[in-house]
Amino acid sequence: MDVFSRTFLPAAADTGLATQTVSRHMPVFRRCVGSGDATILVTRCSRPDHPIGGDYLMLLTHRRLVVTQQTRVLHRLRLHLNTELRELSNVTWSPDPRSHSVELAATAIDGIRERFLIRTHHPKQVWQLDALLNHAFRTRLRTPTERIVATIGEPPAGARPAVFRPAPVR
């Protein structure tokens, strides 16, 4: 049994997900996540800016964030978000123990701001979720690599120097 399989089911059980729900979403998650990636969190979530969009299931591993959507009427599954954690920017979350929820927001590599609301059953779970998100997004060391997606007004290829060294980002 690989690392993903060993860690996925206990993480789903920690949040109280039904086995039927987990097994339904498992093939989609399996296609997105490598076998050596350990699961940190599996939970239901919603999108506060799209309240009637359907049910969402979030998978957070040490390397990836995957969110699937199940439509309300036909119960079809579709992949909503599949990205590496290092490709996310401006990741924020705000725990609210009074409403038993955590709102997670991040900007994907395509520039779209994604917001998810994760509800818990108890205020103590809010702080556990806060610690998990802190471990996944802040405490893990990642080397910042500059990525050039596109440049505007670039000189023709013949006018550029042979070696391009970007200036360090401060």
Side-chain angles (χ1 to χ4, degrees), residues 63 65 81 83-93 104-116 136-138 142 144-145 147 149:
R63 294 185 196 126
L65 176 66
L81 179 66
T83 185
E84 290 187 26
L85 296 184
R86 63 183 172 85
E87 292 178 347
L88 294 172
S89 62
N90 196 16
V91 179
T92 59
W93 62 92
L104 173 68
T107 304
I109 196 167
D110 58 0
I112 297 175
R113 185 80 175 156
E114 298 283 353
R115 291 176 50 216
F116 300 101
F137 292 109
R138 289 204 179 124
R142 291 186 186 81
T145 56
R147 299 174 56 176
V149 178

Side-chain angles (χ1 to χ4, degrees), residues 50-70:
H50 294 86
I52 56 174
D55 297 326
Y56 294 86
L57 200 65
M58 177 185 292
L59 168 69
L60 179 65
T61 69
H62 289 289
R63 294 185 196 126
R64 299 195 78 76
L65 176 66
V66 182
V67 179
T68 58
Q69 177 186 14
Q70 182 174 334

Side-chain angles (χ1 to χ4, degrees), residues 76-151:
R76 291 189 180 156
L77 289 180
R78 78 174 189 85
L79 186 62
H80 175 74
L81 179 66
N82 177 20
T83 185
E84 290 187 26
L85 296 184
R86 63 183 172 85
E87 292 178 347
L88 294 172
S89 62
N90 196 16
V91 179
T92 59
W93 62 92
S94 53
D96 187 1
R98 287 178 288 146
S99 67
H100 306 284
S101 65
V102 175
E103 183 174 342
L104 173 68
T107 304
I109 196 167
D110 58 0
I112 297 175
R113 185 80 175 156
E114 298 283 353
R115 291 176 50 216
F116 300 101
L117 186 66
I118 305 167
R119 298 203 182 276
T120 63
H121 299 291
H122 193 271
K124 186 177 180 181
Q125 291 174 325
V126 171
W127 300 117
Q128 290 171 345
L129 185 57
D130 180 51
L132 286 173
L133 294 173
N134 188 41
H135 173 72
F137 292 109
R138 289 204 179 124
T139 60
R140 294 184 53 82
L141 296 175
R142 291 186 186 81
T143 56
T145 56
E146 185 176 0
R147 299 174 56 176
I148 299 174
V149 178
T151 55

